[in-house]
Amino acid sequence: MRLSRIYIDHVLVVGEEIVFPKEAAHYVSQVLRLRDGVLIVLFNGQGGEYRARLRLNKKQLSAVIEAFIDRSVASALPIHLGQGISRGEKMDYVVQKAVELGVAEITPLFTERCGVKLVEDRAQKRLDHWQKIIYSACEQSGRNDIPKINPPMNYPEWIVARTETHRLICHPGLASQNDKRLIAQSDTIALLVGAEGGFSDAEVNSATDQQFESFSLGPRILRTETAAVVALAKIQVCWGDMTP
């Protein structure tokens, strides 16, 4: 039976008992409804995972760590997703699926057509919200590494800062290029996906000036949340750890 996996921001040591913070305790006891004595898996993003046994009493929820397991399903191909910020649950969906598909880093981007304005306080709240989605997606997908989520950034700042070996842009207006390009798992990839409405001509030209190449997702125009998922899956199939 698959054990429940819980992310916890704490040093984990075999043989020690760890007390769950309030939010994690509520999730384990009230959402998952796990009971005293149940085996679970804990991870903290520092490598590997830990088998632990729950201890539940009226005052607190804790777990005794029984064993360390040196396990990783992190992608060997580092992918940095620059994603135009979309509205509401669409952006949440992209963040969640990007984690499941092995992305290493995500930067939400303010583009000309994103239509989302985030003042400082709201931007931090959205960033905290996306971080929680990342933790949850790691729990579900079996990842023990935690992808990095950067604060939202303006599009021009992000593209000029790119140093990745390969830079790919998804945009239906660009001529399709040969996607059988040579990419090794030791290489790095910057993937650029627009928000609703895609990129403006000026943004496409700016990306081209920064050596971004078109990355074809087929003849149909995809929604922003679909495009990110398809692009990441295609990258993993072509050059990553989903190769047939």
Side-chain angles (χ1 to χ4, degrees):
M1 184 179 69
R2 186 173 185 269
L3 301 181
S4 296
R5 304 181 74 256
I6 310 297
Y7 169 78
I8 187 162
D9 185 15
H10 198 281
V11 175
L12 302 174
V13 179
V14 175
E16 293 191 359
E17 182 175 1
I18 183 168
V19 177
F20 284 83
K22 183 177 180 181
E23 186 173 353
H26 178 269
Y27 175 67
V28 171
S29 61
Q30 302 301 316
V31 179
L32 297 180
R33 298 186 177 277
L34 300 181
R35 295 295 176 248
D36 183 67
V38 169
L39 271 176
I40 60 173
V41 173
L42 301 177
F43 67 101
N44 59 5
Q46 302 303 310
E49 60 190 27
Y50 297 79
R51 292 286 177 93
R53 195 171 299 275
L54 281 181
R55 284 186 177 177
L56 178 62
N57 58 47
K58 293 182 180 179
K59 294 183 179 180
Q60 66 182 26
L61 177 70
S62 63
V64 177
I65 301 172
E66 297 184 349
F68 171 73
I69 301 170
D70 187 9
R71 174 180 176 275
S72 175
V73 296
S75 175
L77 182 63
I79 306 170
H80 184 164
L81 172 64
Q83 173 67 48
I85 302 173
S86 52
R87 297 180 183 277
E89 294 182 356
K90 291 182 179 181
M91 190 66 185
D92 296 352
Y93 179 87
V94 169
V95 171
Q96 181 190 66
K97 300 310 173 187
V99 174
E100 293 178 26
L101 288 164
V103 75
E105 188 171 353
I106 303 170
T107 302
L109 299 177
F110 293 113
T111 63
E112 290 185 24
R113 298 174 180 172
C114 77
V116 176
K117 306 296 181 184
L118 297 176
V119 296
E120 186 173 343
D121 289 346
R122 190 179 173 207
Q124 186 58 52
K125 288 180 180 179
R126 293 304 296 172
L127 187 62
D128 293 341
H129 174 70
W130 292 326
Q131 185 68 73
K132 290 180 180 179
I133 290 175
I134 287 175
Y135 292 148
S136 179
C138 286
E139 291 173 344
Q140 183 276 324
S141 64
R143 291 185 66 168
N144 293 321
D145 64 305
I146 309 298
K148 182 179 181 181
I149 177 84
N150 296 311
M153 182 181 292
N154 289 324
Y155 174 88
E157 297 176 38
W158 187 81
I159 62 169
V160 298
R162 303 284 37 89
T163 59
E164 286 81 5
T165 315
H166 302 275
R167 303 162 203 177
L168 310 176
I169 179 173
C170 299
H171 185 70
L174 293 179
S176 176
Q177 295 193 9
N178 180 13
D179 291 332
K180 297 188 181 297
R181 64 197 88 193
L182 296 176
I183 294 180
Q185 288 196 347
S186 59
D187 292 341
T188 55
I189 293 179
L191 175 66
L192 184 54
V193 179
E196 296 99 330
F199 297 110
S200 68
D201 290 342
E203 288 174 328
V204 172
N205 291 335
S206 295
T208 302
D209 289 342
Q210 296 300 320
Q211 286 75 55
F212 276 82
E213 301 177 274
S214 67
F215 189 57
S216 174
L217 301 182
R220 291 164 293 280
I221 296 177
L222 307 180
R223 292 181 181 272
T224 177
E225 67 273 26
T226 310
V229 172
V230 171
L232 288 168
K234 184 175 178 180
I235 288 171
Q236 291 289 20
V237 169
C238 289
W239 308 293
D241 56 13
M242 294 173 66
T243 303

